[in-house]
Amino acid sequence: EVQLQASGGGLVQPGDSLRLSCAYSGFPLEDYVISWFRQAPGKEREGVSCINGNDGSAHYSGSMKDRFSISRDNAKNTVYLQMNNLKPEDTAVYYCSQSRWCNSDDGHLVIKGSRYWGRGTQVTVSS
């Protein structure tokens, strides 16, 4: 059974950092992509970042590339999203998903085949 669980959200102040975790199980990461999405109130869900399981290559939405970093720990079946210099506009529910493909082109992140999703984790950036 494919399972993903995002955690690590919280209430932080502008400029703070958070590290989100996505624990996954039920599939070999080397055949898939783990992607992070977020959805703010009243807005559409948007892709944040992704990491390819076969080669570890990472991609980001252009607006977050300089502040966010995605990584993986194969031994723990966990993918992390390190978020630095958080801004109020980063406030959203963050989700991780198992995807089939992702890439970025000039800051435009494209993620395809997101079939399984974990429960989201709330990130609130406020002073």
Side-chain angles (χ1 to χ4, degrees):
E1 179 185 6
V2 174
Q3 292 187 334
L4 302 102
Q5 180 63 57
S7 62
L11 172 62
V12 297
Q13 294 186 341
D16 284 353
S17 298
L18 273 178
R19 189 178 76 164
L20 305 184
S21 299
C22 175
Y24 63 88
S25 62
F27 61 95
L29 181 60
E30 57 264 30
D31 293 339
Y32 294 92
V33 169
I34 297 291
S35 304
W36 284 99
F37 292 81
R38 71 183 185 184
Q39 188 164 20
K43 295 187 177 181
E44 293 187 354
R45 185 177 60 201
E46 64 173 333
V48 174
S49 180
C50 59
I51 188 165
N52 283 289
N54 60 349
D55 62 4
S57 59
H59 301 276
Y60 302 89
S61 173
S63 63
M64 293 164 250
K65 184 176 182 179
D66 294 334
R67 300 185 294 120
F68 292 6
S69 178
I70 193 170
S71 63
R72 63 183 181 177
D73 186 332
N74 292 339
K76 295 183 178 179
N77 281 11
T78 301
V79 169
Y80 303 101
L81 183 69
Q82 178 68 40
M83 306 187 295
N84 299 324
N85 190 24
L86 284 162
K87 303 176 181 181
E89 52 263 41
D90 294 317
T91 295
V93 178
Y94 285 71
Y95 302 88
C96 59
S97 75
Q98 179 211 67
S99 308
R100 296 294 297 183
W101 184 90
C102 77
N103 209 330
S104 59
D105 181 13
D106 197 21
H108 179 61
L109 181 65
V110 179
I111 301 171
K112 296 183 179 180
S114 295
R115 180 179 179 185
Y116 295 97
W117 297 80
R119 287 187 178 182
T121 185
Q122 175 71 48
V123 172
T124 303
V125 185
S126 175
S127 56

